[in-house]
Amino acid sequence: QQRVGGRRLPDVTVVDLKKKKSKDGKLFGETLARAVEQTFSEGNQSILLLNRRGFSASVVCRDCGIMVECKHCKVTLNLHKGRRRLVCHYCGYNMPENVLCGCCGSTNLIPVGFGTERVEEEVSQLLPDAAVARIDSDIASDRKKFLALLKAMKEREIDILVGTQMIAKGLHFPFVTLVGVVWADGGLAFPDYRAGEKTYQLLAQVTGRAGRGDSAGRVIIQTMQPEHYAIQFASGHKYRELAEKEIAIRRSAGFPPFERLVSIRVESDSEESAREKAQTIAAEARKWCLNTSNSATISVLGPAPAPIEKIRDMYRWQVMLKGRKITTLHEIVEYLEKSNRKKGREKIIVDVDPENML
């Protein structure tokens, strides 16, 4: 990889969080903390990436161990400390932070995990004299505020910018000499065959924010999985090696581009109804494959609950079709659509070459 103008790609350091010496619960390891302090003392700017908004990922009851969940979605609520609310990032449902546990009635609730608000708070404690700002979708929803923050960063009124993936792409700040990835592992846990590729993309994009001016750039990636190929290749600016690794994995597993995918998702306000319709669709798909001699060319996966089982009061089950010939996949989808025209409370969503596996 080469940069415009012949500028050097930034040096990348991978920090293994499993070997982190500090036991104080802080998000910043010693290497990243020292680098942020040094960059500030030199009069340069830093960008800190954490692709998770809010203050904490969830809130848990210390008495019964149950996490506070959205009443409309099968996900935990995220604590947004600035708003003093617990918020669902899927449907927007929110409630006050000082709630009772819905299971045992306890008030002994504590935040677990971390988000960009907590990074902003900790870096402000680390460098009280630094001008710290945060950009995530909560902030970006106000376009005027979002543009004002970008302008302030460009004019060097901000020393340290904290944000999610939206600060990783297409921004040119010549005085940013340090990029810190607070936690690089979030995307690797997603149930998506492209998790490694997407993690590499994000790390490569945010790495490109450092050293775009006359001064050399530096990147520090904190991770619990330093041996993962996506992190290794991103730290070495090795796109070709990443592509070759991904191709080998997908060829052996039969994932795109070697085979095509079709996602058929069933949604219903009744979990039983969603499950039964998904079971019917899977059985009909297997029967069609046998009757048309396509059982060897099409794989029917499922039915199974979707990775997020419930969103906005709708239960979600899915069936996946996998095959090499898109024409054959279109034929089976047309058959399934005709035999499952809407009759009841279920909604059927067909997604060819799905972009989002959730």
Side-chain angles (χ1 to χ4, degrees):
Q1 291 182 355
Q2 294 182 344
R3 269 186 157 175
V4 174
R7 287 187 173 86
R8 218 180 89 188
L9 288 166
D11 295 324
V12 181
T13 302
V14 176
V15 175
D16 187 352
L17 289 176
K18 298 191 298 293
K19 298 179 181 179
K20 182 180 168 187
K21 295 180 180 179
S22 174
K23 303 297 182 182
D24 56 8
K26 296 293 184 183
L27 301 180
F28 295 91
E30 186 178 338
T31 302
L32 181 55
R34 281 204 315 263
V36 172
E37 291 171 330
Q38 180 182 351
T39 302
F40 176 65
S41 68
E42 293 171 349
N44 290 317
Q45 295 171 296
S46 301
I47 284 178
L48 299 176
L49 171 76
L50 176 63
N51 202 23
R52 177 184 287 169
R53 59 194 174 103
F55 183 83
S56 73
S58 55
V59 176
V60 65
C61 175
R62 296 188 68 173
D63 292 331
C64 70
I66 299 298
M67 292 186 175
V68 181
E69 287 192 347
C70 174
K71 71 176 185 178
H72 303 291
C73 308
K74 190 66 175 177
V75 296
T76 58
L77 296 179
N78 294 62
L79 173 62
H80 287 241
K81 198 171 182 181
R83 296 165 57 186
R84 303 186 68 179
R85 309 287 293 181
L86 300 175
V87 181
C88 174
H89 289 171
Y90 287 88
C91 74
Y93 171 77
N94 64 91
M95 58 198 302
E97 64 174 341
N98 56 339
V99 297
L100 299 178
C101 174
C103 182
C104 69
S106 171
T107 58
N108 194 12
L109 303 177
I110 58 168
V112 177
F114 43 84
T116 48
E117 282 188 21
R118 183 173 164 191
V119 177
E120 181 185 23
E121 181 179 284
E122 287 198 12
V123 77
S124 296
Q125 294 171 353
L126 179 67
L127 292 169
D129 296 328
V132 182
R134 172 173 52 89
I135 292 181
D136 51 30
S137 57
D138 294 328
I139 302 295
S141 59
D142 185 334
R143 182 167 175 78
K144 288 185 178 179
K145 189 173 183 179
F146 175 64
L147 294 175
L149 283 173
L150 293 182
K151 181 181 179 182
M153 186 71 180
K154 189 82 170 179
E155 296 177 354
R156 303 181 68 184
E157 296 171 6
I158 295 172
D159 299 306
I160 302 167
L161 182 64
V162 177
T164 55
Q165 63 180 348
M166 62 180 57
I167 67 171
K169 304 174 184 179
L171 300 176
H172 177 65
F173 301 126
F175 292 95
V176 170
T177 59
L178 174 68
V179 165
V181 180
V182 178
W183 186 54
D185 307 327
L188 295 175
F190 278 88
D192 189 338
Y193 68 92
R194 294 165 301 178
E197 176 192 0
K198 290 182 176 180
T199 297
Y200 175 92
Q201 287 176 342
L202 181 59
L203 294 177
Q205 287 164 347
V206 77
T207 292
R209 300 314 104 207
R212 300 176 68 85
D214 296 330
S215 300
R218 183 184 181 192
V219 178
I220 297 173
I221 299 174
Q222 296 189 149
T223 174
M224 297 289 287
Q225 303 178 66
E227 70 289 343
H228 195 283
Y229 69 88
I231 292 171
Q232 286 291 316
F233 292 146
S235 65
H237 313 292
K238 297 179 179 179
Y239 170 76
R240 184 177 295 276
E241 288 83 349
L242 181 280
E244 290 172 352
K245 179 73 172 181
E246 283 288 331
I247 287 172
I249 291 173
R250 295 185 195 185
R251 181 184 285 113
S252 65
F255 281 123
F258 301 99
E259 295 196 30
R260 306 286 289 272
L261 289 178
V262 176
S263 166
I264 303 176
R265 190 172 70 246
V266 180
E267 297 185 356
S268 173
D269 56 4
S270 162
E271 183 175 14
E272 182 181 0
S273 174
R275 183 184 68 251
E276 289 179 351
K277 176 56 74 173
Q279 289 171 341
T280 298
I281 289 173
E284 290 179 349
R286 291 187 172 97
K287 183 178 179 180
W288 183 90
C289 290
L290 288 172
N291 291 341
T292 57
S293 301
N294 279 301
S295 56
T297 61
I298 292 182
S299 300
V300 181
L301 310 178
I308 303 176
E309 298 177 30
K310 180 185 175 186
I311 294 180
R312 297 183 180 91
D313 293 317
M314 298 293 283
Y315 293 92
R316 311 160 83 239
W317 276 66
Q318 66 183 23
V319 177
M320 300 291 292
L321 306 177
K322 188 166 68 166
R324 290 180 180 272
K325 293 184 178 180
I326 193 64
T327 52
T328 307
L329 287 170
H330 281 162
E331 289 174 10
I332 187 173
V333 167
E334 288 176 3
Y335 168 78
L336 292 172
E337 286 182 331
K338 287 179 182 178
S339 61
N340 289 278
R341 295 197 184 279
K342 185 173 177 59
K343 298 176 182 176
R345 60 211 301 188
E346 306 90 4
K347 179 180 180 182
I348 301 173
I349 300 145
V350 177
D351 190 356
V352 180
D353 298 325
E355 182 65 25
N356 185 351
M357 302 300 291
L358 297 181

